[in-house]
Amino acid sequence: MIIAIDGPAASGKSTSAKLLAEKLNFLYLDTGAMYRCIALSIIENEIDIKNESSVKKFISNFKLELKTVDGAPDFLVNGSSVSKKIRTAAISKKVSAISAIPAVREYMVGLQRSFAKNNNCVVEGRDIGTVVFPDAEIKFFIIASVKIRAERRKLELQNIGETISLTELQKDIKARDKYDSERSHSPLKKAINAIQVDTTEMTIDEQVNYMIRNVNLKK
């Protein structure tokens, strides 16, 4: 079974998906983290994202692996763990533009499908229910207010030692929403048959329990 979870940045997708996968004993695949991995590597290697041939050459030498360490997913780029480095505000600012590149998305979609092949899997991202797994057995679309999402992102950044104002975070989130929703290739949008979950006033347990009830109904 594939459970697809889509939605905008900081809406609660990752936390809900991770806990849902744990409770169901499914593989958890964070595709947003995968795009952050390639964004980090492109930035570190100073690749010109406007140069299509340079991007394609970079992709041909890019290797992304997913491992589980102490029960938690760990991403390795060319053999080195990057799971902590990809969560910075600097990567958040760049990831939308990089993930919108057609060659990057095509490579990632193939990789995501290979990771989930022959597995019961909870997959979360921006285009999972519409592009990556359009035939997923159950789909959720997670939303939340911009204010709540900014507060969540602020806490996440504080946990890795970064400080940024709520005003700036709200501005960044609105800009990213616009970019993700209006890009020409695989835009963020709710799948027709997705169940919408507004997490603005929900606890994590409430979110996960609601999703599990819907999964059980589908089973």
Side-chain angles (χ1 to χ4, degrees):
M1 172 181 270
I2 298 293
I3 300 173
I5 302 179
D6 291 308
S11 56
K13 299 188 307 297
S14 296
T15 305
S16 295
K18 193 181 300 182
L19 288 172
L20 183 63
E22 286 178 6
K23 287 181 179 294
L24 296 173
N25 197 28
F26 280 23
L27 174 69
Y28 164 58
L29 184 58
D30 180 353
T31 66
M34 293 175 68
Y35 282 105
R36 284 175 174 268
C37 289
I38 200 167
L40 172 69
S41 193
I42 283 175
I43 292 166
E44 289 184 340
N45 286 280
E46 300 181 345
I47 305 299
D48 180 3
I49 63 172
K50 294 181 180 179
N51 187 318
E52 186 178 355
S53 62
S54 293
V55 172
K56 287 183 175 179
K57 183 179 179 181
F58 163 80
I59 289 172
S60 69
N61 294 306
F62 178 81
K63 183 180 180 183
L64 181 62
E65 298 173 272
L66 173 60
K67 294 187 176 181
T68 301
V69 178
D70 296 328
D74 185 32
F75 284 103
L76 286 76
V77 171
N78 297 336
S80 298
S81 175
V82 296
S83 294
K84 292 183 179 179
K85 295 172 70 175
I86 61 174
R87 296 299 177 183
T88 65
I91 299 300
S92 295
K93 287 178 181 290
K94 299 285 187 179
V95 69
S96 285
I98 292 170
S99 65
I101 300 169
V104 170
R105 295 206 76 82
E106 287 166 13
Y107 170 80
M108 282 296 184
V109 168
L111 196 58
Q112 289 155 13
R113 288 173 176 162
S114 70
F115 281 165
K117 188 177 181 180
N118 301 322
N119 284 299
N120 288 317
C121 196
V122 176
V123 191
E124 60 107 338
R126 300 283 193 287
D127 62 349
I128 308 307
T130 55
V131 175
V132 186
F133 294 106
D135 297 324
E137 287 85 346
I138 188 162
K139 304 173 185 179
F140 295 102
F141 193 79
I142 312 294
I143 63 170
S145 70
V146 171
K147 180 176 181 292
I148 288 295
R149 288 157 59 201
E151 290 173 354
R152 291 172 179 168
R153 182 67 82 204
K154 185 177 178 67
L155 287 173
E156 183 180 271
L157 291 172
Q158 286 176 342
N159 287 336
I160 60 171
E162 290 197 24
T163 302
I164 186 168
S165 72
L166 277 175
T167 300
E168 187 174 351
L169 282 169
Q170 288 187 59
K171 181 180 177 182
D172 288 348
I173 284 172
K174 287 178 181 178
R176 189 169 178 192
D177 285 352
K178 181 177 173 61
Y179 196 107
D180 288 346
S181 299
E182 295 179 358
R183 68 190 181 207
S184 58
H185 199 290
S186 304
L188 165 68
K189 63 180 180 180
K190 179 186 173 185
I192 294 173
N193 55 344
I195 300 167
Q196 182 164 295
V197 185
D198 188 339
T199 68
T200 301
E201 297 183 0
M202 295 176 76
T203 66
I204 292 299
D205 285 343
E206 287 171 340
Q207 295 171 39
V208 175
N209 289 336
Y210 176 77
M211 294 164 80
I212 285 177
R213 285 198 297 273
N214 280 278
V215 171
N216 287 336
L217 286 173
K218 192 68 177 180
K219 285 181 176 179

